Amino acid sequence: EKLIESVFHTADIGLAVVDARGKFVMVNIGFSRMLGYDKDELIGKPYLDILAHAFKGKTPGVERNVIKGKRRSFQHRVVNKEGKVLDVFITNNVFTDSNGKKYTVKTMRDVTDEKKYKELMESAEKSMHIGSFEFNLASQNITWTDQMYALYEVRKTFIPTVASTRKYINKEDLPRVEA
């Protein structure tokens, strides 16, 4: 128990426990720091209070699906104490204690800068008529940007693979790509 508590309170990523009524019962320093609140300001506060206005109406349904195990992770927008809107990626895990009470353990990661970077890249790609892709070494999956599909006049139903992407790479560039 002490090990788990130590990890919970020292993790840089935001961690929070929300009860069945939707109120914070526990938050770590990473969560507090991300939102700019002291830990004590969040305990007992409704989870809905930190959400950006556009997400408040949708969230009760999403949270019901989380409790049912139908929705585990998603992007949301939250508002920190100063009123700044943050794009966050949230992962949820439902926990039932020995008394049968359900809690949602939430991890929250600020992806605001990543999202801005992605939007900037997409804008630059369109204006320069270039495309890009991401390659996941572990899974060997390739993800193309919208501009890649447009440049090669390929429908978005096309699923890029290592083999299928090779034919779109200049032959003189292949040795560098394969290195």
Side-chain angles (χ1 to χ4, degrees):
E1 256 183 61
K2 286 187 179 196
L3 174 64
I4 292 170
E5 190 173 323
S6 174
V7 169
F8 182 87
H9 289 294
T10 59
D12 281 341
I13 195 163
L15 296 168
V17 178
V18 176
D19 66 16
R21 297 173 305 152
K23 296 188 179 210
F24 291 109
V25 293
M26 194 180 216
V27 296
N28 75 344
I29 194 161
F31 195 88
S32 298
R33 192 177 301 131
M34 185 186 322
L35 294 175
Y37 288 97
D38 290 330
K39 192 166 70 168
D40 295 336
E41 291 178 280
L42 289 167
I43 303 300
K45 182 178 186 136
Y47 169 67
L48 289 176
D49 285 3
I50 67 164
L51 298 180
H53 182 71
F55 285 89
K56 288 188 181 193
K58 300 173 187 174
T59 300
V62 170
E63 290 300 313
R64 279 191 294 278
N65 285 331
V66 165
I67 298 265
K68 292 176 185 174
K70 293 182 180 177
R71 188 108 190 255
R72 188 146 188 263
S73 57
F74 45 85
Q75 283 197 12
H76 243 11
R77 297 187 97 191
V78 297
V79 180
N80 72 8
K81 190 174 181 177
E82 286 79 41
K84 180 181 176 190
V85 176
L86 306 173
D87 291 294
V88 294
F89 184 79
I90 300 173
T91 302
N92 298 281
N93 198 0
V94 177
F95 171 76
T96 305
D97 71 10
S98 58
N99 296 323
K101 289 184 180 178
K102 286 191 175 190
Y103 298 91
T104 304
V105 179
K106 297 180 174 292
T107 64
M108 189 179 293
R109 184 171 51 92
D110 185 352
V111 295
T112 305
D113 290 339
E114 291 173 37
K115 192 170 179 181
K116 285 179 187 173
Y117 171 72
K118 186 176 180 179
E119 289 169 358
L120 181 62
M121 284 296 295
E122 288 171 357
S123 175
E125 285 180 356
K126 283 181 183 177
S127 66
M128 294 188 281
H129 302 289
I130 60 173
S132 64
F133 62 90
E134 293 179 12
F135 179 63
N136 184 317
L137 286 172
S139 68
Q140 299 288 298
N141 288 334
I142 296 176
T143 305
W144 281 14
T145 61
D146 289 345
Q147 192 63 20
M148 282 288 282
Y149 287 99
L151 285 171
Y152 293 114
E153 298 175 346
V154 177
R155 292 179 186 216
K156 287 195 176 187
T157 55
F158 170 76
I159 299 172
T161 63
V162 173
S164 66
T165 299
R166 287 176 53 91
K167 71 180 180 181
Y168 297 105
I169 298 172
N170 291 328
K171 287 182 179 151
E172 58 268 8
D173 292 332
L174 277 174
R176 287 187 292 164
V177 171
E178 293 171 339

